[in-house]
Structure formats: structure tokens, C-alpha cells
Amino acid sequence: MCGIVGYVGQKQAKDVVIEGLRLLEYRGYDSAGIALVHDNALATDKKAGKLANLEKAIAEAPLPSSTTGIGHTRWATHGAPNDVNAHPHAGPQRRVAVVHNGILENFARLRDELERAGHDLLSETDTEVAAHLLENEVRAGADLTTAMQNVCRRLEGAFTLVAVDAEDPSRVVAARRNSPLVVGLGDGENFIGSDVAAFIEHTREALELGQDQVVTITREGVEVTSFDGSPAEGRQYHVDWDLAAAEKDGYDWFMRKEIFEQPRAIADALLGRHDEAGLLQLDEVRISDDELRDIDKIVIIACGTSNYAAMVAKYAIEHWTRIPCEIELSHEFRYRDPILTRNTLVVAISQSGETADTLMAIRHAVKQKAKVLAICNTNGSTIPRESDAVIYTHAGPEIGVASTKGFLTQLIACYLLGLYLAQVRGTKFGDEIAAVVRELAQMEDRVQQVLDDAARTYALAERFRDAKSVLFLGRHAGFPVALEGALKLKELAYIHAEGFAAGELKHGPIALIEPGLPVFCVVPPRGRDQLHDKMISAIQEIRARGALTIVLAEGDDTEVTPYADVLIPLPTVPTLLQPLVATVPLQLFACELATLMGHDVDQPRNLAKSVTVE
Ligand code: G6P
């Protein structure tokens, strides 16, 4: 959801800003813009569409040399994604330029106030209001830092703002409330970004900011204050990945690269999770064993793909711990007035750690005194920071908008959480837990096995490149896999796709079946004989009505072969862990089909990776 960059140092700010935007473009790509400070004036350019459009414009009309600048890549909220609404926005005299991520909820009132005072606002955005307010302040004599503090106290909503003042090239000033912002600490230069990818090429030392803080970066240093001007501090940390991890590494898409990184990501997610005696340990879970023993209900909240990880987690956690486990979409959670007590564990799953719906949901849970545990991939992000405990998924940066390795490593974290709770509460014997952990350790190879067979799925994508609709069926832990397969296809190929619980088919969706309709069927392992057999019945039912069945089943499952028009063999794994292998062909299928259709796989239309508005 919008990428923002700020730089002050000795390098050409244009190069640093554009490169930073390139690495942040996954956050939003409706338009892009840049503002540089040069010779007591602003030099700006902005263009609708992807960053490439802005780069082309700059190549045709070069910007002046400057070592202070800001930039933005947008996911539109207020106003259509056109040149005028693109950021940066400038004040009336073009002295201050601002980029913004978030929504200023009281912007209509502020805009009205400005217009009545004679201001002429050019765009439909809420951001331009902030630019005018800031410029009023600096023209009245405030420095940009004080101006930002004063303006932020008047703003409502969620925002990250980054600004420059044409008459003060020494500083870039930023502020955050409920929206991501990190500072990159360099030598003789400092950076601002929506996330560390913006500056990872230059430094791996970062500073995370708290809520309602203003940060001023100069060449010499970084100063953090609260909105009221009182001194404040950020938390410094080292980023454990580098530029290479944020590059495509020879793949056509980040998404494809990330799909193929999954074996390694699984291994990393499992690393160091048990002690010498073989007991599971989750160092980051700072909730005491006594408190965990008192938990009488778990509520897992998440959005999008992370919500499907939550659905899988329910099957595993309830089975292993016997603790009732609810799943709820984050944006629905607090509005239904959920019953939460001190003994409720709320688990928030978020790859980015910044999804506003999930953040607001955990704040509600914290107010109700529930314990909150985050499962997150992004160190320094807001959701883990505001939680009592966190399990990091260690997948490395996920740039493709459609989540892949983020999802698989969330599953690993959920399994670990379930087993850890079972260990603490004694609902599973140590050898039973150790057996599952051994199975998990093998998943790296199992997923690799599926990836080695990618050509089979790619051929399928070629065969169905003209499909208008695709269905996905699953049961038990295979049901969320079916939902995820359908979501991937909607996100990337923009075709109608739906996932159903196979048992629900006969209650309505079977009416959708018509001759030739491709239906992916995720068959549970034969170890769960009843589930397995019922799934086969469902496949027979749709096949009898002309569906073309693409069956994902254990490679040597001969019972299902007669009903499979196409068979995608899966390795034999326990039922609860099957989503780790069954999801992978569906990711490959969506990625390949979208590629064949000529879509931008990493940046699908209308989407953004990290949705920081509610
Ligand atoms: C967006 C992304 C999805 C993602 C969802 C939740 O909608 O496009 O891929 O699953 O947000 O994101 P989170 O970072 O909270 O897991």
C-alpha cells in the first residue's frame, strides 16, 4: 500500500529514490513520483502508471542534481490514479513537497478550511491538504520538523508522511501514525522507507519508529520526537537479508522465484526451534507457560492468504491441543463484539505485519486483555511490535504481491505453535511431538519434489489458457488449499475461480458444473480413509456431469486414478501437513497461466501487497 522513500546524503538523491521505489513498487503501482531539493526550489516529476513511466519522463526531461529527495509509488485511495493525483504534492508556493501513505480521515474538513482561506487545491487527494498545511507552517517561520509536529497533531486517520522544504536541503522529515515507516542508518547519509527494501542496497542498519513519532534525517544524524515535540527514541536493529534477496535472481517474476525458494524458506522457518533435549522452544513467545496453560480459547485472525493459513492452523491446533479455536477475518473480528478474556489467545497472522485490518483487530484484543501472539514475516513491523509474543516465519523478503513462501512458512509457524502448546499443556506425549517435528523437517524435501515436477503443471496452464472459470475442491485441511488455489487464480489470471469444501458441492455449487469445466480436486492422503473415500465420491459426482478433473493426490493412490482426467502426484505426507505440498502446484499453475495470458504476475491489477488502510 504505497511505497515511500526519503534520502539525504552525498549521493544523487534521484538515483537513490528511484532505486528505492523500484524495490518498493510491489506495495502499490498506480503512479509514481519524485521531489528533489535543488537551489532553494523543488524539482518534481510524477506520472500515472508504473515506475517505468516516471523513469521514462525523467530520461526525457532530466531532473537537476540534488542530494535531498523523496519519492512515492501509489496505491490509490483518494482520487483516481492519474498524473495530478500522483504524489508528491506541493504547497501553494511549491516550497514544501509531501508524499503520503494512508488516509487522512479529517481531510474534507481541513480542505474546506484551506479553501476558505483562499488555497487552491489541484488534486482530489487528501495528501495535498497536508502539503498546504506544512507550507503554511514553514512560511510562518517554523522549521520543517516543528511544522510536521504541528500538522500531525491536527491530522486524524492513518498516515506516513515524508516531506522536504525547498529552503532547507539539509533535512527530510517524516511522521507516522498507524502506518509503516523505517529509517535506514548510513554513514554521512540517512534514509527513510516504507520498509527496509527501500535502502537495503545502502545499509542494513535500521531504526523502527513508534506510534505518533516524527523523525528528522540529515547527513549527520537522525532525531526522533513525539508529535508534541518531546524527545523520543526508535529501536535500532540489523536487517538479516541483503539486496540479493530483494532481486529476481534470473527468474521472470519475483513470485516464481519465491515459489522455488519455498524449500529453503521452510528449512529456515524450522531452524533452531528445539533445544538439545529435543524439546520445542519458541524464543520469541514471551507468554509464560503458566499463562499458556490457562488459555481456554484461541482466535486466529488474518486476511487474504494468511486467513487460509489460519484455517489450516485450526485443524492442527484443535487436534493437538484440544483448545477450541476460532478463525475470523480481521476486518470482521472486532465488529461482531467477540468474547475475549485474559485466557483467550488471539493469534494474528500477517506476512507484512502491517495489514491495517489485522492491526486494528489486535488492538481491540489487547484492550479486552486477551493475549496476542503474532505470526509474521517482517521484523520491525507494527503487528509483532504491538503483540505480547511473536513467531517470525523467516521466509526472507516476499516481493510478489501474491503470497507464496509467506503462506507456507506461516503454516510451519502455526504447526510449531500448536505443537508448542501441546508440549506445554501435555496434550501430546514428547515422542508424538518429536514425530511431527521429524515430519516437518522432511517437508523441505517433499516440497522440492513437487517443484521438480513443475513442468507438469506448466503444461496444464498451457492447456487451460482460455478457461473462463476454474473450480477447486478440498476437504478438511485441503479445503483452505482449494480456497487458496482459487484466490491465486483470481489475483493473477483475473478469471472466475472458486474454492469449495467438497462436501458442500451437492448443496448448491454442483449446479456450476458443465461439460469441460476444469476442477482441481485436492485428495486427502489415504491415511484418512473416510475423508479420502468421500473426496473420491465428490470427484465421481462432478465427473458424471462432465467436469474435467485435475486431481492432486498421493502419487501411488491407484483408487483415484480412474477418476482423474489429469493427475498431479503429491508426496505422501500426514493429512495435517498436506497443505504444504498441495498448495505448491496451485501456485505454479496460477503463476504460469497469468504469464501465458500476458499479465503482470508480480503486480496484479488493483492489488497491493501490504494493505495499510482499513
Ligand atoms: C493483501 C495481499 C495478500 C495478503 C493479504 C494479507 O491483500 O495482496 O496477498 O494475503 O494482504 O496480508 P498480510 O501481510 O497481513 O499477510
Side-chain angles (χ1 to χ4, degrees):
M1 186 100 344
C2 299
I4 49 168
V5 184
Y7 175 73
V8 54
Q10 283 137 24
K11 301 188 176 104
Q12 281 302 316
K14 184 209 88 181
D15 298 339
V16 177
V17 168
I18 295 287
E19 190 52 26
L21 291 180
R22 192 175 71 73
L23 291 162
L24 290 184
E25 203 183 7
Y26 69 91
R27 301 180 68 89
Y29 33 83
D30 292 338
S31 60
I34 183 169
L36 304 174
V37 177
H38 169 77
D39 219 3
N40 279 0
L42 292 177
T44 61
D45 205 345
K46 50 189 190 170
K47 280 280 165 289
K50 297 201 171 159
L51 182 63
N53 294 358
L54 175 68
E55 287 181 280
K56 187 162 166 274
I58 295 175
E60 282 161 11
L63 291 165
S65 157
S66 165
T67 54
T68 305
I70 58 177
H72 189 263
T73 175
R74 179 170 187 240
W75 187 84
T77 55
H78 284 65
N82 55 31
D83 286 358
V84 177
N85 289 332
H87 300 209
H89 290 279
Q93 315 288 321
R94 287 185 56 79
R95 179 171 162 186
V96 169
V98 177
V99 294
H100 166 218
N101 174 24
I103 294 177
L104 303 180
E105 285 170 0
N106 58 338
F107 101 101
R109 203 167 60 239
L110 295 169
R111 185 180 177 118
D112 191 46
E113 175 190 310
L114 285 166
E115 282 174 341
R116 270 196 262 145
H119 285 244
D120 193 10
L121 288 113
L122 309 173
S123 76
E124 301 160 89
T125 65
D126 47 349
T127 312
E128 197 180 359
V129 166
H132 280 239
L133 291 173
L134 280 171
E135 194 162 295
N136 279 353
E137 294 281 336
V138 292
R139 288 182 63 214
D143 62 37
L144 189 60
T145 306
T146 313
M148 185 66 91
Q149 292 157 354
N150 293 346
V151 169
C152 284
R153 287 198 301 273
R154 301 196 58 201
L155 301 178
E156 289 165 19
F159 51 86
T160 303
L161 293 167
V162 187
V164 285
D165 175 359
E167 295 189 10
D168 183 1
S170 71
R171 70 176 88 194
V172 173
V173 179
R176 83 173 278 254
R177 167 180 288 167
N178 291 336
S179 188
L181 173 65
V182 278
V183 177
L185 304 170
D187 188 9
E189 58 183 359
N190 286 299
F191 308 80
I192 278 166
S194 300
D195 67 47
V196 295
F199 48 74
I200 196 72
E201 188 180 352
H202 308 283
T203 176
R204 289 166 69 180
E205 298 309 314
L207 187 78
E208 69 180 34
L209 294 183
Q211 233 11 293
D212 287 8
Q213 290 187 340
V214 169
V215 62
T216 304
I217 60 165
T218 59
R219 283 184 185 190
E220 295 77 30
V222 171
E223 186 201 43
V224 183
T225 71
S226 307
F227 284 179
D228 65 8
S230 59
E233 274 183 25
R235 183 187 73 92
Q236 193 173 334
Y237 64 103
H238 181 74
V239 183
D240 58 7
W241 48 272
D242 58 14
L243 180 65
E247 298 282 3
K248 276 195 263 190
D249 207 15
Y251 285 91
D252 52 348
W253 305 113
F254 278 110
M255 181 188 179
R256 206 185 303 267
K257 172 185 169 234
E258 288 158 6
I259 292 173
F260 280 88
E261 277 173 353
Q262 291 181 118
R264 189 206 46 75
I266 288 175
D268 287 351
L270 284 168
L271 212 63
R273 302 297 194 178
H274 38 81
D275 64 13
E276 283 165 11
L279 279 180
L280 267 184
Q281 53 176 25
L282 299 178
D283 291 340
E284 311 126 308
V285 174
R286 297 173 304 260
I287 303 175
S288 74
D289 287 0
D290 276 345
E291 287 171 317
L292 289 178
R293 276 189 278 269
D294 286 341
I295 296 296
D296 57 15
K297 181 169 80 168
I298 297 175
V299 185
I300 314 183
I301 50 173
C303 299
T305 292
S306 300
N307 178 53
Y308 300 143
M311 289 176 73
V312 175
K314 177 182 164 77
Y315 292 99
I317 293 177
E318 284 194 338
H319 181 62
W320 291 332
T321 69
R322 312 311 297 154
I323 309 171
C325 187
E326 297 171 9
I327 320 149
E328 182 106 33
L329 289 163
S330 313
H331 34 90
E332 292 295 316
F333 173 71
R334 67 183 163 138
Y335 299 105
R336 74 167 166 96
D337 194 14
I339 300 168
L340 303 171
T341 69
R342 285 174 195 280
N343 294 337
T344 309
L345 178 66
V346 172
V347 178
I349 307 182
S350 174
Q351 188 284 129
S352 63
E354 298 293 353
T355 298
D357 290 319
T358 306
L359 177 60
M360 294 307 158
I362 65 163
R363 287 192 180 154
H364 181 77
V366 167
K367 268 200 212 125
Q368 310 291 312
K369 308 276 189 267
K371 309 224 163 22
V372 178
L373 180 144
I375 290 180
C376 182
N377 191 38
T378 314
N379 199 328
S381 59
T382 313
I383 290 172
R385 222 163 52 223
E386 296 198 12
S387 300
D388 299 303
V390 54
I391 302 178
Y392 282 112
T393 51
H394 300 298
E398 190 181 65
I399 311 285
V401 165
S403 183
T404 53
K405 63 176 181 171
F407 177 66
L408 259 56
T409 53
Q410 285 169 350
L411 293 179
I412 296 285
C414 290
Y415 295 133
L416 289 171
L417 173 64
L419 293 171
Y420 185 69
L421 288 170
Q423 176 178 286
V424 170
R425 297 163 68 98
T427 52
K428 283 265 162 224
F429 292 116
D431 57 344
E432 294 170 319
I433 294 172
V436 184
V437 172
R438 273 197 304 278
E439 296 280 2
L440 282 172
Q442 289 178 13
M443 295 313 285
E444 174 187 0
D445 292 341
R446 304 278 178 267
V447 170
Q448 187 59 53
Q449 228 174 300
V450 180
L451 289 169
D452 291 343
D453 196 27
R456 187 191 302 265
T457 314
Y458 292 162
L460 207 58
E462 178 69 53
R463 178 167 166 192
F464 292 113
R465 63 188 296 171
D466 296 323
K468 296 281 170 288
S469 175
V470 181
L471 300 188
F472 295 78
L473 301 183
R475 283 193 90 104
H476 189 260
F479 172 37
V481 174
L483 294 171
E484 171 63 0
L487 178 63
K488 282 284 159 287
L489 218 50
K490 282 183 256 202
E491 284 179 312
L492 302 173
Y494 319 145
I495 58 178
H496 171 252
E498 283 198 67
F500 295 110
E504 187 63 10
L505 204 65
K506 54 191 177 296
H507 299 294
I510 199 161
L512 291 170
I513 305 291
E514 54 186 25
L517 180 78
V519 184
F520 281 83
C521 308
V522 183
V523 179
R526 282 157 299 170
R528 289 287 176 95
D529 47 356
Q530 286 195 352
L531 276 179
H532 176 264
D533 295 352
K534 295 228 161 60
M535 187 67 202
I536 292 189
S537 306
I539 298 174
Q540 283 172 298
E541 284 159 20
I542 55 165
R543 207 151 175 273
R545 289 161 176 84
L548 208 146
T549 57
I550 303 148
V551 174
L552 289 80
E554 288 173 310
D556 54 352
D557 183 349
T558 46
E559 277 175 67
V560 81
T561 334
Y563 313 111
D565 291 304
V566 179
L567 184 72
I568 299 184
L570 297 178
T572 296
V573 299
T575 305
L576 283 169
L577 307 191
Q578 200 201 32
L580 288 167
V581 290
T583 308
V584 176
L586 307 185
Q587 298 169 338
L588 289 167
F589 179 73
C591 178
E592 184 66 6
L593 187 64
T595 306
L596 294 172
M597 292 169 91
H599 296 165
D600 186 332
V601 168
D602 286 333
Q603 298 177 350
R605 70 183 181 203
N606 304 337
L607 297 182
K609 178 127 194 93
S610 167
V611 182
T612 53
V613 292
E614 277 187 275

